[in-house]
Amino acid sequence: GFPRNYDNLEGWVRCMGSEENSVASAWGCLVYTCPLEELERRILERAETSGRSDDNLKSAQKRFTTFEQQTMPVVDTLKIVQKLQEEADKPSHKVEEITGDKTIEEVWSDTQAVMNSFVANDVLTANAQLLESIEKDDVDQYVELCSEDLLDDQMEEIMEIYEGEMGKKVEIANPKIEFVTGTKAIVSYDRTTPDGNQTIRESRVWSHQGSRGWVNVHFSRTPLLP
């Protein structure tokens, strides 16, 4: 696993995630938990065919001790960071625990569910930031989150045409996310127009574009009947 100790964590932050050198951010951390007795049973079972010299109880117990002394403090630190970010109402990484003493199929299913929640949260965060840019009349943030195909040089006019009167509170309800592929998702919700006279069902198609992250590439609106 990674990070296995504070040295790993410090290296990641320094090289990948610092404010001065923001190369990548982590959605979260997966922590697999399993009773010691089950881990020992699995290692001895693997030793029957693996041919590994370290597949024995003595070596395994040393690894378990190292994990408890060096890795678990890192996990506890990440949990504290998550709590502080949530209290500050900031997007936070998640520390998710997955029970490992199940079948391979069950553990994989649980892992997929957590990973899907990470991706969904990332898309919804991008959508929330786009709506926030409309509320704040923030052209730069709006442009950053939209595909070039949706925009042109007259951005303020484009935003007025697409989004209505800028600087007004955006009210939404009944959000839903649907994944088309691993890199394309549709976020839909009911949105009340700025004058409060009409509610529409708005859908935005998001595409993950490498280092840019999630980008809004298309949208549609359907009036809802009173």
Side-chain angles (χ1 to χ4, degrees), residues 9 12 19 33 53-54 62 72 77-78 87 89 104 107 122 142 148 150 173 178 181 186 203-204 209 225:
L9 181 61
W12 167 270
E19 292 184 4
T33 62
S53 61
D54 61 347
K62 288 177 63 177
M72 280 309 299
T77 297
L78 293 175
E87 290 176 349
D89 197 25
I104 293 175
V107 173
D122 206 37
Y142 188 88
E148 291 83 354
L150 289 177
E178 175 186 357
T181 67
I186 302 173
S203 298
R204 294 186 183 270
Q209 300 186 357
L225 296 176

Side-chain angles (χ1 to χ4, degrees), residues 40-92:
E40 292 177 343
R41 184 193 69 77
R42 291 179 180 181
I43 286 174
L44 291 178
E45 183 178 288
R46 187 176 69 177
E48 296 175 2
T49 56
S50 69
R52 290 177 50 166
S53 61
D54 61 347
D55 269 353
N56 57 74
L57 286 184
K58 184 176 180 181
S59 296
Q61 288 167 355
K62 288 177 63 177
R63 294 202 298 270
F64 298 153
T65 300
T66 299
F67 177 82
E68 289 294 333
Q69 294 178 346
Q70 297 187 20
T71 305
M72 280 309 299
V74 174
V75 173
D76 293 337
T77 297
L78 293 175
K79 288 180 178 179
I80 292 172
V81 171
Q82 176 183 338
K83 182 179 180 181
L84 292 174
Q85 289 176 331
E86 290 174 344
E87 290 176 349
D89 197 25
K90 295 181 178 180
S92 65

Side-chain angles (χ1 to χ4, degrees), residues 112-127:
Q112 284 182 305
V114 171
M115 292 299 296
N116 287 343
S117 72
F118 285 165
V119 178
N121 183 66
D122 206 37
V123 179
L124 293 172
T125 296
N127 199 89

Side-chain angles (χ1 to χ4, degrees), residues 13-208:
V13 172
R14 184 182 69 255
C15 298
M16 303 294 288
S18 66
E19 292 184 4
E20 298 79 14
N21 188 31
S22 183
V23 177
S25 59
W27 285 331
C29 173
L30 302 182
V31 181
Y32 293 89
T33 62
C34 190
L36 182 59
E37 296 77 10
E38 175 63 14
L39 292 174
E40 292 177 343
R41 184 193 69 77
R42 291 179 180 181
I43 286 174
L44 291 178
E45 183 178 288
R46 187 176 69 177
E48 296 175 2
T49 56
S50 69
R52 290 177 50 166
S53 61
D54 61 347
D55 269 353
N56 57 74
L57 286 184
K58 184 176 180 181
S59 296
Q61 288 167 355
K62 288 177 63 177
R63 294 202 298 270
F64 298 153
T65 300
T66 299
F67 177 82
E68 289 294 333
Q69 294 178 346
Q70 297 187 20
T71 305
M72 280 309 299
V74 174
V75 173
D76 293 337
T77 297
L78 293 175
K79 288 180 178 179
I80 292 172
V81 171
Q82 176 183 338
K83 182 179 180 181
L84 292 174
Q85 289 176 331
E86 290 174 344
E87 290 176 349
D89 197 25
K90 295 181 178 180
S92 65
H93 76 277
K94 304 293 183 182
V95 178
E96 297 284 355
E97 294 191 357
I98 297 175
T99 302
D101 57 342
K102 299 180 180 179
T103 65
I104 293 175
E105 293 76 17
E106 289 172 327
V107 173
W108 173 234
S109 178
D110 292 344
T111 301
Q112 284 182 305
V114 171
M115 292 299 296
N116 287 343
S117 72
F118 285 165
V119 178
N121 183 66
D122 206 37
V123 179
L124 293 172
T125 296
N127 199 89
Q129 290 173 340
L130 182 63
L131 297 180
E132 179 184 59
S133 72
I134 297 168
E135 288 187 350
K136 296 183 177 180
D137 197 9
D138 187 337
V139 175
D140 292 338
Q141 181 168 292
Y142 188 88
V143 170
E144 183 180 343
L145 291 165
C146 288
S147 166
E148 291 83 354
D149 294 337
L150 289 177
L151 312 174
D152 68 12
D153 295 335
Q154 306 298 319
M155 270 314 304
E156 292 189 5
E157 290 80 356
I158 287 293
M159 289 178 72
E160 290 285 350
I161 294 171
Y162 285 173
E163 309 298 349
E165 188 176 357
M166 306 301 292
K168 297 289 186 178
K169 182 174 178 59
V170 178
E171 297 184 4
I172 68 169
N174 304 318
K176 179 183 177 182
I177 184 169
E178 175 186 357
F179 283 95
V180 181
T181 67
T183 57
K184 184 170 289 185
I186 302 173
V187 179
S188 304
Y189 43 85
D190 299 340
R191 178 177 172 184
T192 304
T193 55
D195 57 16
N197 294 330
Q198 186 180 28
T199 300
I200 57 176
R201 187 65 181 177
E202 182 169 273
S203 298
R204 294 186 183 270
V205 180
W206 291 87
S207 174
H208 195 276

